[in-house]
Amino acid sequence: MKKNILLLCIIVAGFLITSSCMNNQQEKFSGNQKSNKTLMQIKREIFGTVNDTVPIYLYTLINENDMVVKLTNYGGIVTSILVPDNKHNFDDIVLGFDSLNNYLTGHPYFGAIVGRYANRIANGKFTLEGKEYTLAANNGKNHLHGGIKGFDKVVWDSKDYVDKDSVSVSLFYLSQDGEEGYPGNLSVKVIYTLTNDNELKIKYEAHTDQPTPVNLTHHSYFNLAGAGSGDILDHILMIDADMYTPVDETLIPTGELKKVKNTEMDFTTPHNIGSRIKEVEGGYDHNYVLNNGGKMAKVAELYEPHTGRVMEVFTTEPGMQFYSGNFLDGSITGKNRKIYQKHYGLCLETQHFPDSPNKPGFPSVILYPENTYGYTTIYKFSTR
Ligand code: BGC
């Protein structure tokens, strides 16, 4: 008996020493230390490689409330967000995968940074300063989310740092002149920050050497009851928008701004998403014209009644795509072998309006060399 216990102790000690050595080789930790408690920390580990050579990192950001955000420099993808419910049980509330390989083999933009142009450009064409540009038609005849290899599929340079009340990862990418058909060299910086107020802040910045359209967003599929646990139809949503941009059958805006009042599109007061979704052909996949007047303001609130989880969205952007996961169809198996069926996640993508390069009446999306593109969106989590 004693011999067995001794043997067990040796095995456990051996395991602990080996795993701590592995951590030292593969991972880097940094954090803020107050008394004996680690408050905020950030961990970097190898997530895998692209083309068998380029290392891809997985960053784990933890705040002093134990909220966790995991993200990778492949596509700037947020792979996990762990937040408590009103009984302090933590769940991962974004759809995604456990391994890098799944992200490499194709998926509907789970958690990604989308660019150079989020959403659609009609027929993959636009004219700028007298010249016509042709982009990939990767969504029927239209161009979607930056093309065949958009910013969701590129390797970003990355740097992590810890501040007094937050932890951040900065991502950098240089999109070459002509990439995916767009003009100009565009240097892009995206900073993901987790704060002690349970906010995930995303700050976007870009510069160009030629006029070019730019419209960046973040594409997490949220399910506040937990990723893979069911659909989002009983989530309660508020969107502070009196108007939206109606679309044609290929989801290109008609150019009109339409009032939401007295229609199934109206979320100005909190509404159960499922209650009117059948009245919307195909489900919600629309750009809302936000009432924020270009100022940082709360533009949406999502509430899940069973867990009490709340997510508020703040932005300066003029629009937000509300996409109710209509094209999820059970063909994707995500984290923890959960199958993602229709409406299992929803996206709230802050943005300029779809097809703006072809819609002179919409706010301009053209970035000029003398200007800086930039905005911030905050997803803030709490319970009720
Ligand atoms: C779009 C959907 C599209 C989805 C891609 C959303 O941003 O609005 O139409 O199917 O992204 O997964």
Side-chain angles (χ1 to χ4, degrees), residues 233-290:
L233 297 181
D234 55 5
H235 283 46
I236 314 255
L237 178 64
M238 183 282 290
I239 304 176
D240 189 10
D242 293 333
M243 289 187 287
Y244 74 106
T245 52
V247 286
D248 68 15
E249 62 290 350
T250 69
L251 298 175
I252 294 293
T254 58
E256 186 194 353
L257 304 187
K258 208 168 173 179
K259 289 207 165 83
V260 296
K261 206 173 168 67
N262 298 325
T263 76
E264 60 287 350
M265 302 302 293
D266 190 356
F267 286 93
T268 49
T269 54
H271 264 88
N272 175 294
I273 293 171
S275 63
R276 300 169 300 175
I277 198 168
K278 290 219 163 65
E279 295 160 50
V280 185
E281 210 186 316
Y284 294 101
D285 194 357
H286 294 85
N287 171 65
Y288 280 80
V289 180
L290 300 171

Side-chain angles (χ1 to χ4, degrees), residues 188 199 317 326:
V188 189
E199 297 165 321
E317 280 293 89
N326 314 324

